[in-house]
Amino acid sequence: MKRCLVALHLMLILVAGCTSELDGGPAAPKGSVAVSVHGVNYSGDPFKFGVAHPNAGEDTGVGEHIGPFSAGGTVCCFNLPEKWKPGIKLTVYASHWVGKGASNGADTVDKVHTVELPPYADGQAGELWVMRTAEGGLDVVSSDLQPDHPQWPGKIKGWPEPSLEYRRKRWALLHKNASAYLKNYEDLLKELEETPERSLKESWDSDQKYEPDEIKNFFGFNDPCYADYLKTQLTEGKQYWQARVQQSLKERP
């Protein structure tokens, strides 16, 4: 019985020691409060950041990756002083990519920013917002409000709005994608008309591998009903992507 009581006592100690982690991580130092971190990117370049205290050494801090003209999620957590005072400095490790994006061999630009935390709007520490400006600078704000709130204390108001250049670039990619799909269906219909046996055999082999349930009622690639089925599928696909291409042309920024 005594042995059981000792084991129970040890378990209670372990549970007590883990409480702070189960509640969201180790407690903030005295005089500080743990807040969530958000990133907002008002520029046309992909952007990554990590925010840290100046005395954090090699720690690159808390942050995330954000696409052009976008906002990130919620990252936990960063310790801020409960009460603001002049001269609070933060270190922001920032990277952005010029060219095709972070994963396409673009040039990476790394920079370490030292920024001063502006006064807390309501006298208390709020969530920490790290914002890359349209010009490539960095701003930080501590607030529980969002950028589109009427009482948002930051210099930049509202959420990012994509530039015309960026919207046209995105449109060109989507239009190119739709056009490629349309051409693929047109080519497949042409092959079905010019070389029906080979086209039917190739489609049958593909359907057997990837969509067997769709062709279970046909006896083979030379089933006339399968030929009708395939032609209908390809014709409907062509019509769908024709409509997408036409709609894309109407929506060009």
Side-chain angles (χ1 to χ4, degrees):
M1 179 69 176
K2 185 175 181 181
R3 183 180 302 172
C4 292
L5 290 174
V6 171
L8 178 61
H9 181 66
L10 289 173
M11 288 178 64
L12 291 173
I13 293 174
L14 289 172
V15 170
C18 294
T19 300
S20 64
E21 294 185 8
L22 293 173
D23 288 343
K30 187 176 181 180
S32 299
V33 58
V35 301
S36 298
V37 178
H38 308 276
V40 187
N41 186 4
Y42 293 89
S43 77
D45 302 319
F47 163 60
K48 181 179 73 173
F49 75 91
V51 59
H53 292 287
N55 59 354
E58 296 182 358
D59 183 8
T60 56
V62 178
E64 59 184 332
H65 183 285
I66 309 173
F69 302 106
S70 301
T74 300
V75 183
C76 183
C77 291
F78 188 79
N79 294 325
L80 287 178
E82 289 182 347
K83 302 298 181 182
W84 181 87
K85 63 180 181 180
I88 299 175
K89 298 282 199 308
L90 301 177
T91 299
V92 181
Y93 299 88
S95 301
H96 69 277
W97 290 267
V98 180
K100 297 181 180 180
S103 61
N104 294 311
D107 293 331
T108 304
V109 180
D110 299 318
K111 189 173 181 180
V112 179
H113 301 256
T114 299
V115 294
E116 187 163 338
L117 188 67
Y120 301 152
D122 57 0
Q124 295 183 341
E127 297 181 337
L128 182 62
W129 296 78
V130 178
M131 293 158 290
R132 186 170 197 265
T133 68
E135 298 76 24
L138 277 180
D139 281 341
V140 293
V141 172
S142 178
S143 175
D144 288 331
L145 303 176
Q146 295 187 351
D148 59 346
H149 193 281
Q151 297 178 332
W152 166 253
K155 298 176 184 177
I156 306 175
K157 311 294 183 182
W159 296 108
E161 295 184 5
S163 66
L164 178 60
E165 178 186 6
Y166 179 76
R167 287 189 288 123
R168 284 183 173 171
K169 186 183 297 184
R170 294 295 303 168
W171 173 87
L173 289 173
L174 294 174
H175 182 72
K176 181 180 179 181
N177 180 67
S179 299
Y181 273 105
L182 173 58
K183 186 177 186 308
N184 182 59
Y185 277 99
E186 290 174 339
D187 290 344
L188 290 172
L189 277 168
K190 185 178 180 181
E191 289 175 10
L192 182 60
E193 181 180 348
E194 295 179 351
T195 56
E197 186 172 352
R198 185 181 70 180
S199 178
L200 287 166
K201 179 66 167 60
E202 290 177 352
S203 296
W204 179 264
D205 291 343
S206 177
D207 287 341
Q208 276 190 316
K209 184 175 182 179
Y210 299 108
E211 297 181 287
D213 288 342
E214 296 295 321
I215 60 171
K216 61 184 179 181
N217 294 325
F218 306 118
F219 62 75
F221 74 91
N222 54 351
D223 185 338
C225 292
Y226 178 71
D228 293 340
Y229 160 83
L230 180 60
K231 185 174 182 179
T232 298
Q233 293 291 100
L234 295 179
T235 301
E236 290 178 352
K238 175 185 174 181
Q239 292 171 346
Y240 173 81
W241 287 107
Q242 276 180 330
R244 289 287 297 270
V245 169
Q246 291 169 2
Q247 185 64 29
S248 174
L249 290 172
K250 293 178 182 178
E251 295 175 349
R252 183 180 185 276

